[in-house]
Amino acid sequence: MKAPSKIHQTAERSFASWKFDIENTVSADPLADGECLQILRAYLDFMPSLDARPYRSLLDLQVATSLAENTIIDRRRKLVELGYFKPDGKTSDGAVRYQILNARESIVLDHQIVSRETLRRLEAEKKEKVRFRRRKNITAASPNSGVMSPSRHEGPKAAQPLTARGDSPSPREGNYVYDTVESLSMERREYLNRDIAPSSDEPQELTSSYASATAGHELDTPLPTPIDDAEAESMVAAMCDGLAVSGFLHRRLKSMLATGVLTPRMASNILGRRAA
């Protein structure tokens, strides 16, 4: 048997890398979910090359993903809306062929950058709160401070002579490991917000300009896409009104708003505000 050429081997490696990239994009997409990823993988298994147009029947998808028929139809429609699937003809049996595209790679990468910066800021704030509490406990006056007389059971002539009473760590104590950025889930952040009240100089509610920019929108529903760059700049300026926002975060907010992925909840987390 003739060995595959180097060009063929390079093409296979490139195609495999593309499959991994699009799976990672869908997995990290805030508008997709695990069922979308399952359906994508079921189609990728029937893609021998990048220019293939695979098709799968509902029966095949149910067997491959263990999902209900209605769920498959809904999630496949979501993949079409997000641009990952593009209808490209039908088979003789009426099954739709799809061109599979990594359409939201740059959008998801921007979302990951902003999310990483937000989680780092939340983690830094959490650690600072813990350090402040420790310093406060250390500097607090002890109710037992002052000179204390030895017990009548202790002394130079007693059966139990005076001994040094110092605190020493237990050799069996374990290490306390702080949560990392990757393991900080939404539930942990909500618990942190309830457990640690913000200081008086932190904003308690959304400013009126921010509220007007997001009024009438659900927290997890993307804000309307601006018609031009000037409108996008105006909306981001309203969100950042009264806050010291870096140019990087300003550009990222504007990019996410222009691509239609920015939700009020995401904007609130990024800007460090707490929705009323």
Side-chain angles (χ1 to χ4, degrees):
M1 179 181 291
K2 184 178 179 182
S5 64
K6 292 184 178 180
I7 296 178
H8 182 69
Q9 292 177 348
T10 302
E12 286 185 347
R13 286 194 296 267
S14 177
F15 179 54
S17 299
W18 177 84
K19 282 187 175 181
F20 288 132
D21 289 341
I22 192 172
E23 286 184 0
N24 291 335
T25 300
V26 174
S27 177
D29 195 330
L31 300 183
D33 55 19
E35 286 82 5
C36 291
L37 181 59
Q38 286 181 271
I39 294 173
L40 171 72
R41 285 173 172 167
Y43 275 88
L44 291 179
D45 288 341
F46 279 71
M47 280 190 69
S49 63
L50 188 60
D51 57 353
R53 302 295 185 264
Y55 66 92
R56 302 295 303 272
S57 66
L58 285 175
L59 180 63
D60 290 339
L61 291 173
Q62 285 179 280
V63 173
T65 64
S66 299
L67 297 175
E69 180 177 341
N70 291 338
T71 303
I72 293 173
I73 295 174
D74 180 72
R75 297 305 188 274
R76 188 166 58 182
R77 185 183 298 115
K78 171 65 74 172
L79 289 170
V80 173
E81 293 174 357
L82 295 176
Y84 295 110
F85 281 12
K86 181 179 179 182
D88 191 7
K90 293 184 178 182
T91 65
S92 58
D93 297 331
V96 179
R97 294 182 180 271
Y98 291 101
Q99 179 184 7
I100 299 180
L101 306 169
N102 197 352
R104 290 168 55 85
E105 183 176 17
S106 60
I107 297 174
V108 173
L109 288 176
D110 287 345
H111 166 73
Q112 289 179 313
I113 292 173
V114 175
S115 298
R116 188 178 295 109
E117 294 298 324
T118 302
L119 292 177
R120 285 175 178 171
R121 178 177 57 78
L122 291 173
E123 182 70 8
E125 291 176 358
K126 173 188 172 183
K127 291 182 178 179
E128 181 59 31
K129 296 289 185 181
V130 173
R131 285 194 291 265
F132 175 77
R133 287 182 174 180
R134 288 178 177 174
R135 290 194 298 266
K136 187 176 179 180
N137 293 335
I138 292 173
T139 56
S142 172
N144 299 319
S145 60
V147 180
M148 300 182 65
S149 300
S151 169
R152 60 188 178 88
H153 300 292
E154 292 184 329
K157 298 180 180 180
Q160 297 179 355
L162 290 173
T163 57
R165 302 294 185 183
D167 291 334
S168 59
S170 170
R172 293 194 176 95
E173 278 188 335
N175 292 326
Y176 179 78
V177 182
Y178 288 104
D179 292 335
T180 61
V181 173
E182 290 76 12
S183 66
L184 183 62
S185 64
M186 182 62 70
E187 291 78 12
R188 287 284 296 166
R189 277 182 282 166
E190 291 177 352
Y191 172 79
L192 177 63
N193 290 333
R194 293 195 302 268
D195 182 57
I196 304 176
S199 59
S200 59
D201 57 345
E202 292 178 348
Q204 299 298 312
E205 296 181 353
L206 298 177
T207 61
S208 58
S209 58
Y210 180 88
S212 63
T214 60
H217 297 281
E218 296 292 336
L219 289 179
D220 296 315
T221 301
L223 293 169
T225 304
I227 58 175
D228 53 25
D229 186 73
E231 183 178 1
E233 186 69 30
S234 176
M235 293 176 67
V236 174
M239 295 178 190
C240 302
D241 184 31
L243 296 177
V245 179
S246 65
F248 170 79
L249 284 182
H250 186 93
R251 291 191 299 271
R252 291 302 178 190
L253 284 170
K254 183 178 175 182
S255 173
M256 296 175 69
L257 184 64
T259 51
V261 299
L262 183 62
T263 65
R265 188 187 301 276
M266 292 168 59
S268 177
N269 290 336
I270 292 170
L271 295 173
R273 306 177 184 227
R274 184 166 64 89

